[in-house]
């Protein structure tokens, strides 16, 4: 199970950040997702793995500047 | 121990007015040519029109200068102001100062915001703004002592040169055992010998027992300061309390401050972790999205970027509270303790370095093709110590490096190998800037003047340098790659002072999220965001708590980019302090008055028209065949799908030319749309209707407009 802002969902072997977002069915265009201490940006969502038991934060908007 | 000799030149004893609803209702005027010191009243009309902070600065500057005033004219006024909300100790980010003057690099109006204790201490001492005119040959310190109600102009000899040492010495000298009561404004030796000098503002960090520094970096304001003969400005004030700003509704203020602070404490660890790594969190993200400038903005990504990413800096930052104003829970002003520089006057000594922040990492690291975190810290330290803007230093050295690598200049001109990646040379350039010698002195003139010098003296290709020299209006670009975001090109090119991202940072909204596909939507963003961000500068606030942390449910709101919950909180905050009953849209109108007034002040100084909003092609698209080919797939696709160009059989040089034509046209179309949205003429000048609607149709404003054909 992976925890996101209190939402729980099923984890499966080989799950990527892109898989996770699909599963959440959240239409917001996230630019960055933090998986434990690693910051994953959009271009890497397809290849970044989500290990079992990860703490995931969906970062809503990059403020910057 | 420094042996200071202090001689009083002039003193003004004054009555300290009580602060009323965030205002002291007077400003301080000092002319260091003849040592005039006086207090000027602030009228209700001035507050109504200009609000405070940057607005007050600009009004004082308007009255101080004429169209022939140059940056080094005695009448050029260096103005520093806080704002009606500035100095509130419980609301995050409420201690900013705004500095303005006529800039040495742009010749026009410059503004730069900065943290530290100075602005609030100035206000609590009885002054909403400080205006300094004149020039002097004696090393001068202005001491504003709010506790003893006196302002002194002092001749001080025996001061050290570096900003860290000046701040330390003067904090001890004037602090009388209470160093937290002192804030020092200083520059450094680099400010004297270059046009890109900055101002360091100190804030005393009791936990680390040292005066720490924040910078008003952009546009050479430190150079104006040094040219005037100023060594320092010191403000002294006592313990700060919430009641000091005389808020109209203290209970409402406490409540809204509590809400914003609590949200920061809860959300920042989950979001950007500003309180742990500051703006360094941006490095890997910018790199991933091809937005981290490398090699003079040729490219936006580099395989070594992770070597200077936040994971590298996180363990280097000294742990502890790092708020540059009291009670800022975002507390992003991190530093590196016991750093030992390898070069320069501090080689081998342990020093404390404030930073590095994202801009310095990108400007003095990736943009030079350098991915060594310790080198960047050393560049950061010396830029601050010498009073040099690390953004302009970064972008200027990057330009010189590309000129060197492309053979436009060579070792006989530079005296050193200035290839990308050469750390020793980058540091030596900075030391030369401080000593005012060698090639570094030339780099310290900034990109615009280097282009002139290289073509005039060395026969370098001017047209190519115009394409790759990342400056606009005479100011060097800050460190975001705008090539693929038209809205960000506008955010840079249409910013009043020059290409600094503090007006509009739209890269993500535009390029990544595609939230603004049409010209009209981009124009709307380039209307709203600069006005909203101007508002922070009017009030004495830091913008970071607005959108570097957002409510958990922000993404469900209609316009997440505006962070409407925070806009509402800021409105409540403003009302709670000033006693007004404004709604969020009123805040935008407040800014619109000042924003248009600043554009007309630029016009008065001979700038502020369409031609001045030009940007170099490097910021719009690939200048060279190499740049094109590095992202050929992207550019080919755009040519085919957006512009319906058949690329088959075309060589790269031809495709570069074709793409350029489209992109330059798009930028001009964007200008049209933005000018129209802002209520400006086709030439980028506010119309009569606009100035009348905003109530800034003073006779002197109308005279300037008329002189430029707007009547
Ligand atoms: S967010 Fe950072 S820069 Fe802004 S006031 Fe707080 S500590 Fe200073």
């Amino acid at each position: 199970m992976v925890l996101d802002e209190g939402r729980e969902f099923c984890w499966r072997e080989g799950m990527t950040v892109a898989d996770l977002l699909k599963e959440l069915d959240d239409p917001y265009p996230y630019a960055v997702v933090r998986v434990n201490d690693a910051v994953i940006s959009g271009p890497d969502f397809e290849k970044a793995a989500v290990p079992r038991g990860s703490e995931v934060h969906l970062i809503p908007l990059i403020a910057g500047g | 121990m420094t042996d200071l000799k202090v001689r009083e030149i002039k003193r003004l004893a004054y009555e300290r007015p009580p602060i009323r609803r965030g205002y002291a209702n007077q400003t301080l005027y000092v002319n260091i040519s003849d040592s005039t010191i006086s207090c000027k009243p602030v009228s209700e009309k001035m507050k109504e029109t200009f609000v405070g902070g940057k607005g007050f600065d600009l009004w004082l500057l308007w009255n101080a200068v004429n169209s022939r005033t140059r940056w080094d004219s005695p009448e050029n006024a260096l103005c520093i102001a806080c704002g009606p909300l500035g100095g509130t100790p419980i609301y995050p980010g409420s201690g900013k100062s705004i500095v303005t003057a006529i800039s040495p690099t742009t010749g026009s109006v410059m503004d730069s915001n900065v943290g530290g204790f100075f602005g609030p201490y100035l206000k609590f001492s009885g002054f909403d703004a400080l205006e300094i005119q004149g020039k002097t040959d004696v090393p001068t310190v202005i001491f504003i002592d709010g506790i003893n109600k006196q302002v002194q102009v002092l001749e001080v000899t025996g001061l050290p040169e570096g900003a860290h040492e000046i701040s330390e010495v003067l904090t001890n000298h004037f602090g009388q055992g209470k160093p937290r009561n002192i804030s020092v404004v200083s520059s450094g030796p680099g400010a004297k010998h270059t046009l890109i000098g900055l101002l360091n503002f100190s804030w005393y960090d009791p936990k680390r027992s040292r005066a720490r520094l924040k910078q008003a970096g952009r546009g050479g304001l430190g150079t104006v300061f040094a040219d005037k003969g100023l060594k320092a400005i010191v403000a002294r004030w006592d313990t700060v309390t919430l009641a000091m700003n005389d808020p109209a509704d203290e209970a409402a203020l406490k409540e809204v401050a509590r809400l914003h602070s609590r949200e920061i404490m809860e959300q920042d660890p989950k979001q950007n972790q500003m309180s742990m790594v500051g703006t360094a969190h941006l490095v890997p993200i910018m790199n991933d999205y091809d937005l981290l400038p490398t090699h003079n903005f040729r490219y936006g990504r580099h395989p070594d970027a992770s070597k200077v990413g936040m994971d590298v800096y996180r363990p280097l930052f000294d742990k502890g509270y790092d708020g540059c104003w009291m009670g800022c829970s975002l507390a992003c002003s991190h530093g590196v303790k016991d750093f030992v520089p390898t070069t320069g006057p501090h080689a081998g000594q342990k020093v404390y370095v404030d930073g590095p922040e994202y801009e310095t990492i990108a400007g003095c690291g990736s943009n030079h093709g350098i991915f060594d975190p310790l080198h960047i810290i050393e560049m950061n330290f010396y830029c601050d110590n010498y009073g040099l803007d690390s953004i302009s230093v970064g972008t200027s050295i990057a330009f010189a490096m590309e000129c060197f690598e492309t053979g436009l200049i060579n070792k006989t001109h530079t005296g050193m190998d200035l290839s990308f990646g050469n750390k020793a040379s980058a540091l030596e350039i900075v030391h030369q800037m401080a000593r005012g010698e060698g090639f570094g002195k030339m780099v310290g003139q900034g990109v615009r003047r280097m282009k002139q010098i290289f073509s005039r003296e060395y026969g370098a290709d001017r047209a190519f340098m115009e394409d790759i020299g990342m400056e606009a209006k005479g100011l060097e670009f800050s460190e975001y790659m705008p090539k693929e975001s038209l809205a960000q090109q506008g955010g840079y090119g249409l910013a009043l002072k020059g290409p600094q991202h503090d007006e509009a940072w739209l890269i993500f909204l535009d390029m990544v999220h595609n939230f603004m596909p049409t010209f009209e939507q981009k124009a709307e963003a380039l209307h709203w965001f600069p006005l909203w961000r101007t508002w922070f500068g009017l009030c004495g606030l830091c913008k970071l708590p607005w959108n570097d942390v957002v409510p958990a449910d922000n993404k469900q709101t209609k316009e997440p980019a505006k962070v409407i919950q925070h806009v509402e909180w800021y409105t409540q905050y403003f009302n709670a302090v000033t006693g007004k009953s404004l709604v969020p849209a009123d805040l935008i109108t407040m800014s619109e008055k000042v924003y248009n007034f600043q554009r007309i002040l630029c016009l008065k100084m001979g700038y502020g028209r369409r031609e001045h909003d030009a940007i170099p092609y490097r910021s719009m698209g690939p200048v060279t065949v190499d740049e094109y080919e590095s992202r050929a797939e992207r550019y080919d696709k755009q040519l085919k799908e957006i512009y319906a160009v058949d690329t088959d059989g075309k060589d790269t040089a031809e495709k570069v030319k074709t793409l350029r034509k489209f992109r330059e046209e798009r930028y001009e179309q964007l200008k049209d749309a933005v000018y129209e949205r802002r209520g400006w003429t086709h030439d980028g000048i506010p119309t009569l209707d606009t100035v009348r609607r905003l109530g800034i149709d003073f006779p002197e404003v109308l005279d300037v407009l008329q002189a430029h054909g707007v009547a």
Side-chain angles (χ1 to χ4, degrees):
Chain A
M1 301 298 272
V2 181
L3 195 68
D4 165 59
E5 306 286 347
R7 285 185 282 181
E8 293 194 350
F9 46 89
C10 286
W11 178 85
R12 60 175 187 274
E13 192 69 46
M15 189 179 215
T16 65
V17 173
D19 297 334
L20 182 148
L21 288 172
K22 223 176 283 165
E23 189 142 326
L24 276 178
D25 198 22
D26 182 342
Y28 191 82
Y30 293 101
V32 177
V33 171
R34 193 162 56 245
V35 180
N36 301 320
D37 276 338
V39 173
I40 317 289
S41 309
D44 295 329
F45 284 174
E46 296 280 351
K47 50 182 190 277
V50 180
R52 181 197 288 273
S54 296
E55 191 178 326
V56 178
H57 295 292
L58 309 179
I59 302 186
L61 186 82
I62 289 303
Chain B
M1 193 64 189
T2 313
D3 190 13
L4 284 192
K5 285 201 176 56
V6 180
R7 180 180 73 84
E8 183 179 273
I9 300 172
K10 189 77 180 277
R11 172 198 306 235
L12 172 79
Y14 65 95
E15 282 302 313
R16 191 179 64 234
I19 306 294
R20 294 272 183 243
R21 307 294 189 242
Y23 290 96
N25 291 307
Q26 64 176 9
T27 63
L28 176 63
Y29 174 77
V30 180
N31 189 316
I32 52 172
S33 291
D34 59 10
S35 301
T36 307
I37 313 175
S38 61
C39 304
K40 293 183 179 178
V42 167
S43 66
E44 286 305 312
K45 171 101 175 129
M46 186 170 159
K47 289 194 280 188
E48 204 53 47
T49 312
F50 297 105
V51 186
K54 180 160 102 167
F56 281 10
D57 279 351
L58 292 172
W59 177 235
L60 296 172
L61 186 60
W62 176 290
N63 290 307
V65 300
N66 59 63
S67 60
R68 292 174 308 283
T69 300
R70 284 172 41 91
W71 71 273
D72 55 355
S73 303
E75 73 270 19
N76 187 14
L78 188 78
C79 302
I80 307 175
C82 185
L85 309 188
T88 303
I90 57 167
Y91 202 102
S94 296
K96 287 275 179 170
S97 304
I98 284 266
V99 192
T100 65
I102 300 303
S103 157
T105 58
T106 71
S108 188
V109 186
M110 185 54 54
D111 61 88
S112 194
N113 77 73
V114 55
F117 293 176
F118 186 84
Y121 282 10
L122 173 72
K123 183 167 80 173
F124 295 140
S125 295
F127 307 105
D128 291 315
L130 165 65
E131 173 191 0
I132 303 168
Q133 280 189 304
K135 286 170 86 156
T136 176
D137 292 333
V138 297
T140 296
V141 172
I142 298 170
F143 179 38
I144 302 154
D145 184 348
I147 296 174
N148 288 321
K149 293 177 271 186
Q150 62 180 24
V151 178
Q152 291 171 289
V153 176
L154 304 167
E155 178 181 351
V156 180
T157 49
L159 273 173
E161 285 279 300
H164 297 89
E165 299 88 324
I166 292 178
S167 303
E168 198 71 33
V169 165
L170 292 179
T171 298
N172 290 334
H173 180 83
F174 290 110
Q176 300 176 12
K178 293 187 175 172
R180 197 170 154 86
N181 289 356
I182 298 297
S183 179
V184 178
V185 179
S186 63
S187 56
K192 206 162 51 190
H193 299 302
T194 68
L195 299 182
I196 54 176
L198 63 66
L199 291 171
N200 286 288
F201 280 53
S202 76
W203 57 284
Y204 192 77
D205 179 344
K207 183 173 162 267
R208 299 176 179 91
S209 304
R210 61 171 65 247
R212 299 192 45 198
L213 304 181
K214 293 291 275 187
Q215 292 74 33
R218 303 311 328 264
L221 296 170
T223 299
V224 175
F225 179 96
D227 178 69
K228 286 192 174 301
L230 285 166
K231 287 286 172 193
I233 312 167
V234 180
R236 178 167 177 252
W237 182 246
D238 215 332
T239 309
V240 173
T241 67
L242 183 64
M244 239 160 227
N245 250 341
D246 185 37
D249 187 341
E250 199 171 304
L253 172 57
K254 277 185 181 158
E255 176 57 12
V256 72
R258 188 186 65 79
L259 289 171
H260 204 151
S261 279
R262 195 183 64 188
E263 182 199 285
I264 289 173
M265 309 293 258
E266 285 172 7
Q267 295 300 321
D268 180 54
K270 299 176 190 171
Q271 296 178 15
N272 296 327
Q273 302 187 333
M274 297 286 282
S275 59
M276 283 170 255
V277 290
T279 52
H281 78 270
L282 283 167
V283 177
I285 301 166
M286 292 298 113
N287 187 61
D288 291 345
Y289 279 102
D290 208 14
L291 295 170
L292 179 75
T294 77
H295 302 84
N296 192 34
F297 292 84
R298 274 184 194 160
Y299 312 115
R301 185 185 298 145
H302 195 279
D304 288 337
S306 61
K307 293 181 182 162
V308 292
M310 71 169 183
D311 292 336
V312 176
Y313 283 106
R314 192 194 302 261
L316 293 175
F317 286 137
D318 190 23
K319 302 267 175 302
Y321 175 72
D322 286 305
C324 75
W325 175 244
M326 302 165 196
C328 182
S329 43
L330 204 52
C332 73
S333 303
H334 305 301
V336 179
K337 188 172 85 171
D338 292 341
F339 180 75
V340 182
T342 57
T343 63
H346 292 271
Q349 300 166 4
K350 281 184 184 170
V351 297
Y352 196 96
V353 187
D354 288 286
E357 300 209 35
Y358 167 79
E359 299 289 339
T360 308
I361 299 170
C364 295
S366 60
N367 216 7
H368 298 169
I370 294 172
F371 299 91
D372 175 347
L374 300 182
H375 167 83
I376 293 167
I377 295 173
E378 187 157 342
M379 291 286 279
N380 187 144
F381 173 76
Y382 278 117
C383 282
D384 293 350
N385 194 256
Y386 293 157
L388 293 165
D389 172 18
S390 63
I391 297 178
S392 283
V393 165
T395 301
S396 297
I397 292 178
F399 169 73
M401 283 176 160
E402 185 165 356
C403 289
F404 185 88
E405 286 217 343
T406 51
L408 298 178
I409 56 173
N410 58 47
K411 221 168 162 178
T412 51
H413 309 129
T414 61
M416 62 183 91
D417 173 5
L418 205 54
S419 307
F420 283 115
N422 194 321
K423 294 186 274 188
S425 293
L427 274 164
E428 179 54 18
I429 292 277
V430 172
H431 295 311
Q432 288 183 350
M433 286 179 183
R435 297 195 298 265
E437 60 186 40
F439 187 68
K441 191 175 177 192
M442 203 183 290
V443 179
Q445 303 298 296
V447 172
R448 179 163 286 195
R449 283 165 186 78
M450 269 192 284
K451 290 189 291 193
Q452 292 159 0
I453 298 167
F454 294 173
S455 71
R456 192 180 61 227
E457 310 280 326
Y458 312 143
D461 180 343
R462 183 68 184 258
F464 181 64
M465 288 191 295
E466 291 297 344
D467 282 349
I468 64 164
M470 288 296 281
E471 61 86 11
K473 299 184 171 78
L475 184 72
E476 288 72 30
F477 274 68
S478 69
E479 309 298 336
Y480 297 96
M481 172 67 96
K483 271 184 207 174
E484 302 309 317
S485 164
L486 179 59
Q488 187 57 42
Q489 290 160 29
Y492 274 137
L494 305 177
L496 297 179
K497 66 168 169 263
Q500 169 73 357
H501 55 278
D502 65 348
E503 274 199 17
W505 192 85
L506 302 172
I507 293 183
F508 260 73
L509 301 178
D510 184 37
M511 189 192 100
V512 178
H513 298 322
N514 197 24
F515 278 177
M516 48 184 90
T518 68
F519 281 108
E520 288 68 30
Q521 286 164 319
K522 286 178 173 54
E524 181 57 36
L526 285 165
H527 177 68
W528 192 88
F529 283 94
L531 295 184
W532 173 240
R533 293 180 72 147
T534 294
W535 185 80
F536 290 86
L538 305 182
C539 293
L541 300 181
C542 173
K543 87 93 202 168
L544 296 178
W546 160 55
N547 73 344
D548 277 68
V549 60
V550 300
D553 61 357
N554 185 59
K555 62 186 181 226
Q556 278 125 30
T557 60
K558 208 168 124 231
E559 294 180 283
K562 292 185 177 175
V563 199
I564 290 298
Q565 175 65 75
H566 288 179
V567 175
E568 279 166 14
W569 282 348
Y570 281 114
T571 312
Q572 290 166 27
Y573 178 18
F574 188 83
N575 289 342
V577 173
T578 63
K580 293 187 188 293
S581 309
L582 304 185
V583 297
D586 296 330
L587 309 191
I588 297 296
T589 310
M590 285 159 75
S591 294
E592 202 177 356
K593 290 174 201 247
V594 176
Y595 194 84
N596 279 272
F597 182 77
Q598 185 169 348
R599 181 72 170 186
I600 298 166
L601 180 49
C602 295
L603 198 61
K604 173 172 163 169
M605 302 314 298
Y607 303 88
R609 286 185 293 111
R610 188 182 187 102
E611 65 177 285
H612 305 112
D613 292 336
I615 52 175
Y617 187 64
R618 174 63 58 81
S619 65
M620 285 189 235
V623 172
T624 61
V625 166
D626 281 353
E627 278 167 86
Y628 189 103
E629 287 179 348
S630 73
R631 275 105 179 121
E633 202 184 323
R634 173 195 297 165
Y635 296 133
D636 281 351
K637 190 165 176 253
Q638 285 178 8
L639 280 175
K640 280 185 204 140
E641 292 179 6
I642 303 176
Y643 303 115
V645 172
D646 180 6
T647 54
D648 289 348
K650 285 195 166 57
D651 69 11
T652 307
E654 215 179 330
K655 288 192 277 189
V656 167
K657 221 168 124 190
T658 309
L659 186 67
R660 178 175 188 148
K661 183 174 161 287
F662 288 123
R663 289 199 170 190
E664 287 180 336
E665 275 171 13
R666 268 187 345 164
Y667 183 66
E668 291 307 314
Q669 282 171 274
L670 180 72
K671 276 188 192 167
D672 290 339
V674 173
Y675 292 164
E676 194 183 333
R677 178 63 188 90
R678 289 180 180 176
W680 296 358
T681 67
H682 180 74
D683 199 21
I685 301 174
T687 63
L688 272 188
D689 281 351
T690 299
V691 297
R692 285 195 182 121
R693 175 174 61 80
L694 297 170
I696 53 168
D697 51 339
F698 321 129
E700 52 268 57
V701 165
L702 297 181
D703 286 348
V704 172
L705 292 181
Q706 192 169 28
H708 290 85
V710 178

